[in-house]
Amino acid sequence: MTDLEIPPLLLQTPFHSRVSAACEMNLWEDWKGYTTPVAYSNVELEYFAMRNSASIFDITPMTKYRITGADGHAYLDRLVTRNLKNLDVGRVMYTAWCNDEGKVIDDGTIFHVNDDTFILCAQERHLDWMEWSALGFDVKIEDVTEEIAALSFQGPTSCAILKIMGLTGVENLKSFDLQHYPFGQTQLMVSRTGFTADLGYELWIEPDHAEALWDALMAAGRDYNVKPVGAEALQIARVEAGFIQAGVDFVPAEQEVRVERSRSPYELGLGWLVHLKKPNFNGQQALKEEKLKGSRFRFTRLDVQGNKPAENSFIFNRQNKVVGVVTSAAWVPTAKRNVAFASLEMPWGKPGNELWAEIYYLRELKWARVLEKCTVIEEPIFDPERRHATPALDY
Amino acid sequence: MKKYDAIVIGAGHNGLTNAAYLAKAGLDVVVLEKNPYIGGATVSRELHEGWMYSNCSYVCSLLRPEISRDLNLPKFGLQVIPYVGGVTFKRDGDYFGNYDDHERQYREIARHSKRDANAYERYTADVTKQTRFIRPFLLRTPPDPTSFKPRDIQELLFLAKSFYNLGEKVLGDTLRFWTMSIGDFLDEYFETDVIKCHLAGSGIIGTALGVYSPGTAYVLLHHYMGEVDGSVGAWGFARGGMGSVSKALAGAFQSFGGEIRADAEVDRILATAGRTSGVVLANGDEIYADIVVSNLDPKRTFLDIMAEEDLPASVVKQAKNFKIRGSSGKLNIALDGLPTFNSLPPKSPLMTGDMHFIDSLERMERAYDDWKNGTWSQDPYVDMLIPTQVDPTMAPVGKHMMSVFVQYAPPKLATGKWTDKDRDAFGKTVIDQIGSYSPNFKDLILHAEVRTPQDIEDEVGLTEGNIFQGELTFDQLLFNRPFPGYAQYRGPVKGMYICGSGTHPGGGVMSAPGANAAREILMDLNHPTTVPEAYPDD
């Protein structure tokens, strides 16, 4: 039955009262049906809060599935490309998952919360595919997106602030560890994970306690320049971190309409997540074949000369032939690079290839075009020691 | 006596489109219409004072945008306004709504099934693949697969290339899709009956088949391949009713010097020694032209207004066998105000779209059983819209016009021809169904026009009242529409052509058949074409 009210166009996250109070720019976007801030006050300062002090980003709209049942572990191992054998209780793993054609449906993180409970967290929705893949397994899959409020709390002083908040021993969490702490009348789940390649945590809590969590972080971080940050600031940080994003850097395979628009893990630089020797997983046959025959595309991170972001640029080779396109680009202020992620046709994109980005930019109603030389980035450009150092220091 | 360059029989939208392109090429063209008004089944009629009814076709999406632009139809008064929404009411008091916003729609499906809400994305992607395949063929003449003419080979290669471009997997899906039932297709995606039911409607509208009859999946595609201003799959209201489409086409035609004669029913196409010389009207007048184009359906064209002895026996046989079964009726209702619906919030955005009152595929299939048994569905599938929520021109302020497409209704009842009593009972069935979901509906009715398939045939001239001029099943599509050997718009008699929805790419107020036929006629005259090429889908 229905309640005779027109459902709202956009939902508010459980943090909305706090987010809207802080969002001075009043600049919003639709993220998976939630009203979320593009920016709060100043994108640059928000970005630097992430890199210099601490930042709060509301990740509640991320899709979250709870997987329970005796076969949960075996099921997830079959679902994803990575070997989950070592995903013990209290650990998190980043992985990708594919359709039977070996094309990436999405990437995300799997949390082994307790003996028979896992949480899969991702950008897109996958319940239908997950249910099809669950045939023959004793598992229950529930969409718990609305049942879990979540914040990404990132930056060098994040650990110090959590300690002030009373999370004793949080500094001992290693990267991809998770731990539960009492918080008021509930439990706060803390994982040392994030989308910034820096020291940082993700905080998971029941929606009823969301506002209290926000307030506690702001209070504990009062002297640490903690700032809520919007999507624009995060975008810069994640490009600097080298992380790809579904729907931006690749077309989720289930949404593909045109041929050859989706990508395999190998074609997204995610080959390290594929463990072909696992007994059985979705897309295994196709990926084995691809491994033998070779891929069609290569995903490459480029350092583009000059300081103009190569947004949506075509990438040319030396013969002036288009060999690919840029999927994400940003000038990244901490690493001081002009980064572009590019999907290139094979065999282009190897270190040493001479590649050029065609960049258009607008200055006072006049468009200009430059060709800038690109260098293939081989090592992470932002990978501070504090990212993995355990125990985490206060910085 | 004056001789025209071309005569077009029937002022339906395809006849007018055809005539417009011939006139644009400089031909002296006359359109002959049996009714006192033009438009065929694309009309707006004031049947209750102050209320304008789109009393046949009622919504617009398939009209080719290339034609709208090329003939400058906006200049002649055509404006198509997109509408959103749509709802299927459930017997248990709940409903399934269709929101235009992606995320609100996701949550609405998720309210019934989270899995279906996710599967909807796969469904949308898969149907989009199919629409992208078919759209480039709409403004092209189908190739003759038995011909070795360079143009046919070229067009066959285009078809082959399009198939090849689909990729191996989608190619297989396409062949399945064109031949399977809409019920089976939806079962592959969804678990919730009301969701399947809401989507399945597009698979049976205008078709004398049930949701589990093979071939109905394509009919769904036919309803998805249109657009409103580039938004593929969207539907809109023609401001002022569907008559605005034919009025605009007539305006374009007349601006090229064309002539329209109403009350001019054609009795017969003149044909001697295998070529046409004109037509004889019902009143005995003869009108001459070397080119005669029929906008009538294939049965009426070949069996009614042509003499069997003038035609090859095989054509007579194929015309007799052509499937054009009536399956639907229509109610057009003048309302004193906007009805409310149980369970739906007042002013719900869902109400501006298509509304339905049948919530399971089982019920839909039973509705079809009634048709097979020679009666109208006792629990019918209706496609109901209230365009006056969007269009301020069709009813007095605060009043409303309701268009109710009803399926199924057989062209002939088991008891014989439709009687006035049958028509009343048919109307009552529909009004009762709506009334059981809307408490104030019956009290708001000021006037209702009830149209049986028989009425539609008698007035509009569509055989059996079939809205597509022939069923859209795979055996009657592409180079088999209306039948093999005659899919390129040329008739069996030299100088004679067909341009109605009974030809490729079929019905739905597309104007493509009329334009495609004009292209062929101009080619035969060695005249440069005036018909635009399709916009490429990229």
Side-chain angles (χ1 to χ4, degrees):
Chain A
M1 286 297 287
T2 53
D3 49 9
L4 286 181
E5 266 185 32
I6 298 170
L9 192 67
L10 291 174
L11 301 178
Q12 298 176 346
T13 79
F15 300 103
H16 190 76
S17 62
R18 304 303 189 262
V19 172
S20 57
C23 188
E24 293 177 283
M25 287 176 98
N26 203 20
L27 196 59
W28 306 88
E29 66 183 350
D30 172 354
W31 178 23
K32 284 275 173 280
Y34 286 88
T35 303
T36 56
V38 175
Y40 282 84
S41 53
N42 178 323
V43 173
E44 229 183 331
L45 298 191
E46 289 167 35
Y47 162 82
F48 275 108
M50 265 185 272
R51 292 292 185 233
N52 171 54
S53 49
S55 62
I56 301 179
F57 184 84
D58 181 0
I59 54 169
T60 307
M62 294 288 289
T63 307
K64 289 151 266 164
Y65 295 108
R66 183 193 294 130
I67 295 101
T68 50
D71 294 340
H73 208 147
Y75 159 69
L76 286 167
D77 197 51
R78 138 76 192 261
L79 180 75
V80 306
T81 56
R82 197 171 177 185
N83 190 338
L84 298 188
K85 204 175 63 196
N86 296 327
L87 179 59
D88 297 326
V89 174
R91 289 290 292 167
V92 185
M93 263 191 184
Y94 169 67
T95 183
W97 47 99
C98 291
N99 63 9
D100 285 341
E101 285 75 49
K103 300 297 178 292
V104 175
I105 289 178
D106 204 352
D107 62 339
T109 39
I110 299 178
F111 298 72
H112 197 164
V113 178
N114 60 43
D115 279 348
D116 60 355
T117 305
F118 295 82
I119 301 272
L120 182 148
C121 179
Q123 171 69 21
E124 301 296 320
R125 298 171 177 127
H126 309 291
L127 191 58
D128 188 51
W129 177 246
M130 289 173 72
E131 291 281 8
W132 281 116
S133 305
L135 294 175
F137 290 93
D138 176 13
V139 285
K140 187 173 160 196
I141 306 161
E142 296 160 281
D143 184 334
V144 291
T145 303
E146 289 177 42
E147 292 170 36
I148 302 174
L151 294 175
S152 183
F153 187 56
Q154 306 283 312
T157 61
S158 54
C159 183
I161 295 168
L162 291 180
K163 282 192 292 185
I164 292 170
M165 226 175 84
L167 305 191
T168 313
V170 73
E171 68 275 14
N172 294 323
L173 285 186
K174 296 191 294 290
S175 287
F176 291 100
D177 271 356
L178 74 82
Q179 180 75 263
H180 288 87
Y181 294 90
F183 185 85
Q185 301 302 307
T186 188
Q187 289 254 305
L188 172 67
M189 186 171 94
V190 179
S191 55
R192 188 166 167 186
T193 48
F195 207 41
T196 60
D198 205 327
L199 174 59
Y201 302 84
E202 287 169 328
L203 311 173
W204 315 81
I205 200 159
E206 284 177 70
D208 288 349
H209 300 270
E211 288 166 336
L213 173 63
W214 180 287
D215 295 344
L217 285 170
M218 293 305 276
R222 192 184 311 125
D223 299 328
Y224 286 85
N225 187 31
V226 59
K227 271 189 194 306
V229 300
E232 277 197 25
L234 181 65
Q235 164 67 8
I236 301 168
R238 71 110 188 154
V239 170
E240 192 166 42
F243 293 147
I244 59 168
Q245 191 181 337
V248 177
D249 298 300
F250 66 94
V251 176
E254 296 233 282
Q255 296 168 24
E256 177 191 51
V257 170
R258 295 158 182 83
V259 280
E260 293 214 334
R261 293 304 204 273
S262 58
R263 297 285 185 265
S264 77
Y266 298 119
E267 294 168 341
L268 287 173
L270 301 179
W272 64 281
L273 295 177
V274 182
H275 292 127
L276 287 176
K277 293 208 173 89
K278 282 207 294 183
N280 183 25
F281 65 92
N282 291 340
Q284 185 182 33
Q285 288 310 320
L287 291 172
K288 272 186 179 165
E289 220 168 280
E290 183 179 336
K291 188 87 180 161
L292 283 175
K293 283 198 202 159
S295 304
R296 307 160 304 167
F297 302 96
R298 191 196 318 268
F299 196 83
T300 308
R301 290 164 183 82
L302 301 171
D303 186 5
V304 183
Q305 267 186 0
N307 59 2
K308 295 174 184 67
E311 276 163 8
N312 306 313
S313 292
F314 280 121
I315 300 294
F316 290 87
N317 65 10
R318 203 173 165 174
Q319 287 73 39
N320 211 22
K321 180 180 167 274
V322 174
V323 294
V325 290
V326 169
T327 58
S328 289
W331 169 264
V332 294
T334 302
K336 301 294 178 213
R337 301 286 178 91
N338 189 22
V339 179
F341 297 172
S343 181
L344 304 176
E345 287 164 27
M346 282 300 201
W348 304 100
K350 280 192 293 229
N353 277 165
E354 189 180 328
L355 297 168
W356 298 81
E358 182 188 42
I359 302 169
Y360 288 79
Y361 62 96
L362 181 67
R363 293 291 181 272
E364 294 176 73
L365 293 185
K366 194 174 154 105
W367 280 99
R369 171 184 177 267
V370 287
L371 277 174
E372 294 285 11
K373 200 170 179 181
C374 309
T375 314
V376 173
I377 297 170
E378 294 179 71
E379 298 293 323
I381 55 163
F382 181 81
D383 191 21
E385 215 172 292
R386 64 181 181 239
R387 176 184 184 186
H388 297 292
T390 312
L393 301 181
D394 290 350
Y395 305 103
Chain B
M1 191 165 182
K2 179 179 172 179
K3 189 178 162 191
Y4 291 92
D5 292 329
I7 296 166
V8 176
I9 306 167
H13 65 280
N14 277 312
L16 292 167
T17 304
N18 184 265
Y21 279 112
L22 296 182
K24 193 183 174 192
L27 271 61
D28 188 8
V29 186
V30 65
V31 175
L32 305 174
E33 169 56 46
K34 81 178 173 88
N35 283 322
Y37 54 89
I38 63 156
T42 313
V43 290
S44 307
R45 303 201 62 209
E46 186 174 5
L47 298 176
H48 182 68
E49 203 188 332
W51 271 260
M52 200 59 97
Y53 293 166
S54 287
N55 77 334
C56 285
S57 61
Y58 49 99
V59 282
C60 194
S61 167
L62 298 170
L63 184 66
R64 301 318 307 145
E66 298 89 346
I67 294 171
S68 284
R69 175 172 171 176
D70 185 70
L71 293 179
N72 205 357
L73 298 186
K75 183 185 165 191
F76 301 103
L78 180 63
Q79 186 185 13
V80 178
I81 306 129
Y83 67 79
V84 298
V87 58
T88 292
F89 293 94
K90 287 179 70 186
R91 267 188 172 151
D92 66 6
D94 196 0
Y95 63 85
F96 170 69
N98 180 48
Y99 293 99
D100 55 318
D101 176 72
H102 179 270
E103 290 300 322
R104 181 150 60 179
Q105 174 66 359
Y106 170 82
R107 293 202 307 274
E108 173 63 6
I109 306 176
R111 195 168 67 78
H112 298 273
S113 158
K114 284 186 172 176
R115 184 174 182 176
D116 283 358
N118 178 216
Y120 188 72
E121 293 196 351
R122 186 163 57 91
Y123 167 83
T124 308
D126 285 352
V127 173
T128 306
K129 285 173 199 161
Q130 301 302 331
T131 57
R132 286 176 49 77
F133 173 73
I134 192 74
R135 278 164 56 90
F137 292 98
L138 300 179
L139 274 182
R140 295 179 90 101
T141 298
D144 179 351
T146 65
S147 152
F148 291 102
K149 284 187 204 148
R151 181 159 168 256
D152 284 311
I153 290 170
Q154 191 190 324
E155 287 294 313
L156 273 174
L157 282 174
F158 179 79
L159 182 66
K161 189 166 159 269
S162 302
F163 266 119
Y164 177 78
N165 287 344
L166 284 173
E168 210 174 295
K169 183 171 172 293
V170 184
L171 173 59
D173 290 344
T174 300
L175 292 175
R176 290 182 72 235
F177 188 81
W178 281 49
T179 49
M180 77 196 297
S181 79
I182 187 59
D184 286 333
F185 181 67
L186 292 166
D187 284 342
E188 294 188 356
Y189 296 87
F190 303 109
E191 59 187 14
T192 311
D193 223 12
V194 68
I195 293 165
K196 287 190 264 189
C197 195
H198 186 84
L199 297 169
S202 297
I204 54 153
I205 283 184
T207 305
L209 293 169
V211 286
Y212 280 108
S213 308
T216 44
Y218 172 78
V219 181
L220 171 116
L221 180 60
H222 200 82
H223 288 97
Y224 277 31
M225 67 195 187
E227 64 177 271
V228 178
D229 297 310
S231 174
V232 175
W235 283 79
F237 294 121
R239 195 173 198 259
M242 289 301 281
S244 302
V245 174
S246 41
K247 221 170 105 186
L249 287 165
F253 170 54
Q254 285 162 332
S255 77
F256 300 128
E259 179 188 342
I260 299 172
R261 283 198 218 171
D263 285 316
E265 181 169 3
V266 169
D267 181 60
R268 199 157 54 84
I269 295 176
L270 294 167
T272 37
R275 74 165 303 136
T276 183
S277 54
V279 300
V280 190
L281 297 186
N283 67 7
D285 287 358
E286 295 194 353
I287 302 176
Y288 304 110
D290 288 339
I291 291 166
V292 175
V293 190
S294 173
N295 183 26
L296 311 192
D297 68 58
K299 273 199 199 293
R300 273 181 149 60
T301 299
F302 296 117
L303 304 178
D304 282 6
I305 62 165
M306 294 194 81
E308 287 181 11
E309 61 269 27
D310 290 342
L311 298 175
S314 63
V315 171
V316 177
K317 183 177 138 225
Q318 291 190 103
K320 279 188 189 294
N321 290 337
F322 184 66
K323 264 191 335 203
I324 179 165
R325 303 179 296 186
S327 63
S328 55
K330 183 97 195 282
L331 268 67
N332 299 294
I333 303 170
L335 295 171
D336 203 21
L338 192 62
T340 56
F341 294 91
N342 298 335
S343 76
L344 209 58
K347 293 262 170 192
S348 165
L350 301 175
M351 277 176 65
T352 55
D354 46 312
M355 294 182 260
H356 320 275
F357 306 98
I358 196 163
D359 62 1
S360 73
L361 292 183
E362 166 87 20
R363 279 173 73 191
M364 283 178 109
E365 189 68 19
R366 296 287 164 241
Y368 178 49
D369 289 344
D370 290 339
W371 180 90
K372 283 181 275 179
N373 292 331
T375 181
W376 63 88
S377 305
Q378 299 308 303
D379 178 23
Y381 168 80
V382 306
D383 187 34
M384 181 178 95
L385 290 115
I386 308 176
T388 40
Q389 295 171 96
V390 173
D391 183 347
T393 68
M394 297 181 77
V397 180
K399 316 288 182 193
H400 289 279
M401 180 264 163
M402 183 187 260
S403 164
V404 192
F405 173 90
V406 189
Q407 193 141 329
Y408 298 80
K412 249 198 216 107
L413 298 172
T415 51
K417 283 192 78 158
W418 284 83
T419 63
D420 289 349
K421 222 177 115 189
D422 293 327
R423 185 191 301 107
D424 290 347
F426 169 60
K428 186 176 179 304
T429 303
V430 176
I431 285 169
D432 284 348
Q433 189 193 48
I434 302 169
S436 63
Y437 294 86
S438 168
N440 64 345
F441 168 66
K442 285 185 183 178
D443 295 335
L444 293 170
I445 299 174
L446 299 173
H447 171 263
E449 181 200 18
V450 181
R451 311 187 89 190
T452 68
Q454 183 66 55
D455 297 330
I456 295 169
E457 166 153 14
D458 291 347
E459 189 184 319
V460 184
L462 290 165
T463 299
E464 294 202 11
N466 179 296
I467 65 168
F468 292 133
Q469 277 206 357
E471 292 200 53
L472 297 171
T473 46
F474 201 37
D475 56 323
Q476 298 193 153
L477 288 176
L478 266 173
F479 40 70
N480 288 334
R481 191 168 185 86
F483 29 78
Y486 295 91
Q488 296 184 334
Y489 311 96
R490 289 172 189 82
V493 171
K494 208 166 163 36
M496 186 258 161
Y497 298 83
I498 42 178
C499 76
S501 297
T503 59
H504 170 79
V509 195
M510 260 194 269
S511 278
N516 288 343
R519 189 191 318 105
E520 296 303 307
I521 294 165
L522 293 172
M523 191 178 293
D524 290 351
L525 293 174
N526 285 319
H527 193 290
T529 191
T530 51
V531 178
E533 282 190 20
Y535 298 142
D537 267 1
D538 44 20

